[in-house]
Amino acid sequence: MYSDDDANSDASSACSERSYSSRNGGVPHYLRQTEDVAEVLNHCASSNWSERKEGLLGLQNLLKSQRILSRVELKRLCEIFTRMFADPHSKVFSMFLETLVDFITVHREDLQDWLFVLLTQLLKKMGADLLGSVQAKVQKALDVTRESFPFDQQFNILMRFIVDQTQTPNLKVRSRTDGWMMDGWMMDG
């Protein structure tokens, strides 16, 4: 059993470690540990925007180190990322898009079940009024998606998206979708 003093000391040590490593440009120790993936995911799922941003930074570090997530971790991260498509904080959303590219690159073989959500959410974002820098990140994520998954699977998802009566993409989204599909055909054919 830990006393309150032990818990405070542990919290103080963790804060000091984070502070030291962020001042010195290093990755905090707790983000390097593979057993701390749960902590990174908890940060990503936080209601606090700065914790979500910290979680995304930790996730970027994990993905760049080629750390492969388990099936359970992948499922949870896909659920978190599905919610992040609607993140209200611009800094978090921008960082999410950057992290998403790394995530797709590392785990493309494991994301077949999530491709419908990924593709349709990215297309919806392409039709939204976003800053040019954010729009460029959405486009990069779409480009990586196009390169990472079989074209016939993407085509089937796009057709489902366009004809689905519950999905009513606006004219801008439809236009982007059509253009994106045509670009894909030209690149493949």
Side-chain angles (χ1 to χ4, degrees), residues 40-122:
V40 169
L41 295 178
N42 286 339
H43 276 87
C44 288
S46 174
S47 60
N48 181 293
W49 75 267
S50 63
E51 284 185 19
R52 288 193 308 276
K53 186 177 171 192
E54 183 178 323
L56 287 168
L57 282 171
L59 186 57
Q60 283 179 355
N61 289 324
L62 286 170
L63 293 169
K64 286 180 178 164
S65 72
Q66 298 296 308
R67 163 60 163 83
I68 303 299
L69 300 175
S70 73
R71 196 164 212 48
V72 171
E73 293 164 343
L74 273 172
K75 184 175 189 268
R76 179 150 186 245
L77 186 56
C78 286
E79 291 168 357
I80 291 167
F81 274 9
T82 298
R83 288 190 304 271
M84 279 193 169
F85 275 107
D87 200 289
H89 199 280
S90 61
K91 288 181 182 179
V92 173
F93 184 68
S94 183
M95 185 173 289
F96 158 66
L97 291 170
E98 293 170 10
T99 308
L100 183 62
V101 168
D102 295 335
F103 179 59
I104 294 166
T105 302
V106 172
H107 286 284
R108 70 177 138 242
E109 300 297 322
D110 305 311
L111 299 177
Q112 304 296 324
D113 294 341
W114 191 59
L115 183 57
F116 181 84
V117 172
L118 171 64
L119 197 50
T120 57
Q121 290 298 320
L122 286 170

Side-chain angles (χ1 to χ4, degrees), residues 159-169 174:
M159 289 296 102
R160 220 169 86 201
F161 175 66
I162 289 171
V163 299
D164 184 356
Q165 296 299 317
T166 62
Q167 304 280 338
T168 51
R174 282 184 183 259

